[in-house]
Protein backbone atom coordinates (compact mmCIF):
# COMPACT_ATOMS: atom_id res chain seq x y z
CA UNK A 1 0.00 0.00 0.00
CA UNK A 2 2.37 2.63 -1.31
CA UNK A 3 0.38 5.74 -0.39
CA UNK A 4 2.23 9.04 0.03
CA UNK A 5 2.56 10.65 3.42
CA UNK A 6 -0.01 13.32 2.52
CA UNK A 7 -2.70 10.65 2.04
CA UNK A 8 -1.86 9.09 5.40
CA UNK A 9 -1.97 12.50 7.09
CA UNK A 10 -5.35 13.21 5.50
CA UNK A 11 -6.61 9.80 6.66
CA UNK A 12 -5.62 10.65 10.23
CA UNK A 13 -7.33 14.03 9.89
CA UNK A 14 -10.51 12.23 8.85
CA UNK A 15 -10.37 9.83 11.79
CA UNK A 16 -10.20 12.56 14.43
CA UNK A 17 -13.53 13.96 13.21
CA UNK A 18 -15.28 11.00 14.85
CA UNK A 19 -15.73 10.17 18.54
CA UNK A 20 -13.61 7.47 20.10
CA UNK A 21 -15.12 4.10 19.33
CA UNK A 22 -16.97 5.48 16.29
CA UNK A 23 -14.01 5.68 13.93
CA UNK A 24 -15.58 3.14 11.60
CA UNK A 25 -17.95 5.90 10.49
CA UNK A 26 -14.94 7.42 8.72
CA UNK A 27 -15.07 4.73 6.04
CA UNK A 28 -17.07 6.78 3.50
CA UNK A 29 -14.69 9.77 3.39
CA UNK A 30 -11.71 7.40 3.47
CA UNK A 31 -13.00 5.69 0.34
CA UNK A 32 -13.26 9.07 -1.38
CA UNK A 33 -9.71 9.79 -0.22
CA UNK A 34 -8.18 6.68 -1.78
CA UNK A 35 -10.25 7.30 -4.92
CA UNK A 36 -8.71 10.78 -5.12
CA UNK A 37 -5.28 9.16 -5.28
CA UNK A 38 -5.91 6.12 -7.47
CA UNK A 39 -8.77 7.40 -9.62
CA UNK A 40 -10.94 4.56 -8.31
CA UNK A 41 -11.23 2.36 -5.22
CA UNK A 42 -8.40 -0.06 -5.90
CA UNK A 43 -7.56 -3.25 -4.03
CA UNK A 44 -4.76 -1.31 -2.33
CA UNK A 45 -7.33 1.33 -1.36
CA UNK A 46 -9.55 -1.34 0.17
CA UNK A 47 -6.61 -2.72 2.16
CA UNK A 48 -5.56 0.79 3.24
CA UNK A 49 -9.02 1.63 4.60
CA UNK A 50 -9.22 -1.73 6.38
CA UNK A 51 -5.83 -1.16 8.00
CA UNK A 52 -6.66 2.38 9.10
CA UNK A 53 -10.00 1.36 10.65
CA UNK A 54 -9.03 -2.07 11.97
CA UNK A 55 -11.77 -3.87 10.04
CA UNK A 56 -11.66 -6.55 7.35
CA UNK A 57 -11.19 -5.93 3.66
CA UNK A 58 -14.50 -7.72 3.08
CA UNK A 59 -16.28 -5.15 5.24
CA UNK A 60 -14.70 -2.29 3.29
CA UNK A 61 -15.49 -3.89 -0.05
CA UNK A 62 -19.14 -4.40 0.95
CA UNK A 63 -19.50 -0.63 1.44
CA UNK A 64 -17.48 0.32 -1.64
CA UNK A 65 -19.72 -1.77 -3.91
CA UNK A 66 -22.97 -0.49 -2.36
CA UNK A 67 -22.52 3.17 -3.32
CA UNK A 68 -22.21 4.07 -6.99
CA UNK A 69 -19.96 7.07 -6.31
CA UNK A 70 -17.14 4.63 -5.54
CA UNK A 71 -15.69 3.20 -8.74
CA UNK A 72 -14.21 -0.30 -8.49
CA UNK A 73 -12.62 -0.12 -11.93
CA UNK A 74 -10.33 2.64 -13.25
CA UNK A 75 -12.52 5.62 -14.17
CA UNK A 76 -11.83 8.54 -16.46
CA UNK A 77 -10.98 12.08 -15.49
CA UNK A 78 -14.54 12.98 -16.51
CA UNK A 79 -17.45 10.95 -15.13
CA UNK A 80 -20.38 11.79 -17.39
CA UNK A 81 -23.70 10.84 -15.76
CA UNK A 82 -26.94 10.99 -17.72
CA UNK A 83 -30.22 10.93 -15.82
CA UNK A 84 -32.61 8.44 -17.41
CA UNK A 85 -35.17 8.38 -14.62
CA UNK A 86 -38.83 9.25 -15.15
CA UNK A 87 -38.94 12.97 -15.95
CA UNK A 88 -35.53 13.16 -17.64
CA UNK A 89 -36.41 10.06 -19.65
CA UNK A 90 -39.73 11.61 -20.73
CA UNK A 91 -37.88 14.71 -21.90
CA UNK A 92 -35.21 12.83 -23.83
CA UNK A 93 -32.68 11.57 -21.30
CA UNK A 94 -32.33 8.17 -22.95
CA UNK A 95 -31.77 9.83 -26.34
CA UNK A 96 -28.99 11.89 -24.76
CA UNK A 97 -27.39 8.75 -23.32
CA UNK A 98 -27.65 6.90 -26.62
CA UNK A 99 -26.07 9.82 -28.51
CA UNK A 100 -23.16 9.95 -26.06
CA UNK A 101 -22.76 6.18 -26.13
CA UNK A 102 -22.46 6.28 -29.93
CA UNK A 103 -20.07 9.25 -29.84
CA UNK A 104 -17.77 7.71 -27.23
CA UNK A 105 -18.26 4.07 -28.33
CA UNK A 106 -18.86 2.94 -24.75
CA UNK A 107 -21.83 1.69 -22.78
CA UNK A 108 -22.96 2.15 -19.19
CA UNK A 109 -20.12 2.30 -16.66
CA UNK A 110 -17.50 1.99 -19.38
CA UNK A 111 -14.47 4.19 -20.02
CA UNK A 112 -13.07 5.37 -23.33
CA UNK A 113 -9.82 3.66 -24.46
CA UNK A 114 -7.79 6.81 -23.72
CA UNK A 115 -8.99 6.66 -20.11
CA UNK A 116 -10.46 10.16 -20.22
CA UNK A 117 -14.26 9.75 -20.07
CA UNK A 118 -16.51 7.33 -18.19
CA UNK A 119 -20.18 7.20 -19.16
CA UNK A 120 -22.99 6.05 -16.89
CA UNK A 121 -26.76 5.97 -16.54
CA UNK A 122 -27.95 7.76 -13.40
CA UNK A 123 -31.22 6.80 -11.76
CA UNK A 124 -31.81 10.33 -10.46
CA UNK A 125 -29.69 13.47 -10.29
CA UNK A 126 -32.21 15.39 -8.14
CA UNK A 127 -32.74 18.18 -10.67
CA UNK A 128 -36.15 17.47 -12.20
CA UNK A 129 -36.75 21.21 -12.67
CA UNK A 130 -33.91 21.26 -15.21
CA UNK A 131 -34.65 17.97 -17.00
CA UNK A 132 -33.05 16.40 -18.84
CA UNK A 133 -29.78 16.85 -16.97
CA UNK A 134 -26.24 15.58 -17.32
CA UNK A 135 -23.52 15.89 -14.70
CA UNK A 136 -19.77 15.75 -15.12
CA UNK A 137 -18.11 14.84 -11.84
CA UNK A 138 -21.38 15.86 -10.14
CA UNK A 139 -21.52 19.38 -11.64
CA UNK A 140 -24.77 20.13 -13.50
CA UNK A 141 -25.42 20.75 -17.17
CA UNK A 142 -29.12 21.57 -17.44
CA UNK A 143 -31.81 21.33 -20.12
CA UNK A 144 -29.68 19.07 -22.27
CA UNK A 145 -30.39 17.48 -25.63
CA UNK A 146 -28.33 15.34 -28.00
CA UNK A 147 -26.57 18.29 -29.68
CA UNK A 148 -25.64 20.03 -26.41
CA UNK A 149 -24.42 16.76 -24.90
CA UNK A 150 -22.24 15.94 -27.89
CA UNK A 151 -20.73 19.42 -27.76
CA UNK A 152 -20.03 18.92 -24.04
CA UNK A 153 -18.11 15.63 -24.42
CA UNK A 154 -16.23 16.90 -27.47
CA UNK A 155 -14.95 19.79 -25.39
CA UNK A 156 -13.90 17.33 -22.69
CA UNK A 157 -12.08 15.21 -25.25
CA UNK A 158 -10.22 18.30 -26.46
CA UNK A 159 -8.99 19.00 -22.93
CA UNK A 160 -11.28 21.92 -22.14
CA UNK A 161 -13.42 22.32 -19.02
CA UNK A 162 -16.82 23.66 -20.14
CA UNK A 163 -18.57 25.76 -17.50
CA UNK A 164 -21.45 23.98 -15.71
CA UNK A 165 -24.93 25.52 -15.78
CA UNK A 166 -24.78 25.85 -12.00
CA UNK A 167 -22.21 25.25 -9.33
CA UNK A 168 -18.44 25.52 -9.17
CA UNK A 169 -16.08 25.37 -12.15
CA UNK A 170 -15.49 21.84 -13.40
CA UNK A 171 -12.80 19.70 -11.79
CA UNK A 172 -11.55 16.17 -12.39
CA UNK A 173 -12.87 13.08 -10.62
CA UNK A 174 -9.76 12.96 -8.46
CA UNK A 175 -10.13 16.63 -7.52
CA UNK A 176 -13.80 16.28 -6.59
CA UNK A 177 -12.99 13.14 -4.57
CA UNK A 178 -10.70 15.20 -2.34
CA UNK A 179 -13.59 17.54 -1.61
CA UNK A 180 -15.96 14.63 -0.98
CA UNK A 181 -13.44 13.30 1.52
CA UNK A 182 -14.03 16.53 3.43
CA UNK A 183 -11.09 18.74 2.47
CA UNK A 184 -11.24 22.31 1.22
CA UNK A 185 -11.09 23.15 -2.46
CA UNK A 186 -7.51 24.14 -3.22
CA UNK A 187 -8.27 25.92 -6.51
CA UNK A 188 -9.22 29.58 -6.17
CA UNK A 189 -11.45 29.23 -9.22
CA UNK A 190 -13.27 26.35 -7.52
CA UNK A 191 -14.82 28.76 -5.04
CA UNK A 192 -16.60 30.65 -7.80
CA UNK A 193 -20.00 29.83 -9.26
CA UNK A 194 -23.61 29.80 -8.17
CA UNK A 195 -25.50 26.63 -7.32
CA UNK A 196 -28.98 28.08 -7.57
CA UNK A 197 -31.01 28.72 -10.69
CA UNK A 198 -34.33 30.37 -11.43
CA UNK A 199 -36.42 27.15 -11.57
CA UNK A 200 -35.07 26.18 -8.14
CA UNK A 201 -36.20 29.47 -6.65
CA UNK A 202 -39.60 29.60 -8.40
CA UNK A 203 -41.48 27.93 -5.54
CA UNK A 204 -39.95 30.22 -2.91
CA UNK A 205 -40.75 33.27 -5.04
CA UNK A 206 -44.39 32.26 -5.54
CA UNK A 207 -44.76 31.55 -1.82
CA UNK A 208 -43.40 35.00 -0.97
CA UNK A 209 -45.76 36.66 -3.42
CA UNK A 210 -48.70 34.78 -1.90
CA UNK A 211 -47.63 35.49 1.69
CA UNK A 212 -47.13 31.81 2.46
CA UNK A 213 -44.64 30.96 5.19
CA UNK A 214 -43.62 27.80 6.98
CA UNK A 215 -45.57 26.98 10.17
CA UNK A 216 -44.04 28.39 13.33
CA UNK A 217 -42.71 26.10 16.02
CA UNK A 218 -42.07 26.17 19.72
CA UNK A 219 -38.30 26.27 20.17
CA UNK A 220 -38.69 25.16 23.80
CA UNK A 221 -40.70 22.05 22.99
CA UNK A 222 -38.89 18.80 23.95
CA UNK A 223 -37.67 16.66 21.07
CA UNK A 224 -39.23 13.54 22.61
CA UNK A 225 -42.33 13.16 24.70
CA UNK A 226 -41.57 12.12 28.24
CA UNK A 227 -42.57 8.60 29.12
CA UNK A 228 -45.54 8.43 31.40
CA UNK A 229 -44.62 7.63 34.98
CA UNK A 230 -45.23 4.01 35.76
Amino acid sequence: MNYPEKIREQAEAILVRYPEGRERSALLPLLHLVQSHDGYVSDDGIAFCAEILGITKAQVQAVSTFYTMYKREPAGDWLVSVCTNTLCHAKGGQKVFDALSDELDVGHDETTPDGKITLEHAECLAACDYAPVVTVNYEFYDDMDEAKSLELVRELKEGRRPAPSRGAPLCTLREISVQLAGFDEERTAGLEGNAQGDPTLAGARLAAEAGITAPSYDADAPLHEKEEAK
Side-chain angles (χ1 to χ4, degrees), residues 9-221:
E9 290 174 356
Q10 288 176 313
E12 292 299 327
I14 289 171
L15 286 182
V16 299
R17 300 173 189 164
Y18 298 87
E20 184 177 353
R22 303 288 184 179
E23 294 88 350
R24 182 171 173 173
S25 297
L27 178 54
L28 298 184
L30 283 173
L31 286 168
H32 284 300
L33 181 65
V34 296
Q35 184 161 272
S36 76
H37 182 266
D38 297 328
Y40 70 112
V41 179
S42 64
D43 290 342
D44 280 349
I46 294 287
F48 178 78
C49 292
E51 174 195 319
I52 292 291
L53 296 176
I55 58 179
T56 68
K57 290 186 286 186
Q59 288 172 315
V60 176
Q61 181 151 328
V63 173
S64 72
T65 55
F66 183 83
Y67 296 102
T68 59
M69 292 178 79
Y70 303 122
K71 303 305 176 188
R72 289 309 321 276
E73 299 291 337
D77 290 333
W78 312 112
L79 174 64
V80 178
S81 309
V82 183
C83 184
T84 53
N85 211 330
T86 308
L87 186 55
C88 283
H89 179 82
K91 297 189 71 175
Q94 185 62 50
K95 293 179 181 178
V96 168
F97 181 90
D98 292 340
L100 293 181
S101 180
D102 290 342
E103 171 75 11
L104 300 171
D105 196 26
V106 295
H108 167 65
D109 207 22
E110 293 181 353
T111 301
T112 53
D114 62 4
K116 294 296 184 182
I117 300 177
T118 299
L119 179 66
E120 68 176 5
H121 279 283
E123 274 303 302
C124 182
L125 293 175
C128 298
D129 38 356
Y130 300 95
V133 293
V134 173
T135 62
V136 179
N137 298 338
Y138 314 115
E139 299 294 352
F140 283 96
Y141 296 83
D142 303 325
D143 302 311
M144 298 298 280
D145 56 26
E146 295 101 308
K148 292 179 184 177
S149 300
L150 291 174
E151 181 181 356
L152 170 63
V153 297
R154 287 167 183 165
E155 287 194 58
L156 294 174
K157 288 195 292 185
E158 291 171 2
R160 297 200 292 271
R161 299 190 180 198
S165 303
R166 297 171 286 126
L170 189 61
C171 62
T172 66
L173 183 62
R174 292 177 189 241
E175 290 168 340
I176 196 63
S177 294
V178 174
Q179 297 176 52
L180 292 170
F183 296 98
D184 291 339
E185 167 63 84
E186 296 180 351
R187 302 172 306 146
T188 301
L191 301 177
E192 301 170 357
N194 182 6
Q196 63 190 24
D198 190 64
T200 305
L201 301 175
R205 185 175 61 252
L206 291 172
E209 291 172 357
I212 300 171
T213 60
S216 60
Y217 70 99
D218 181 1
D220 297 323

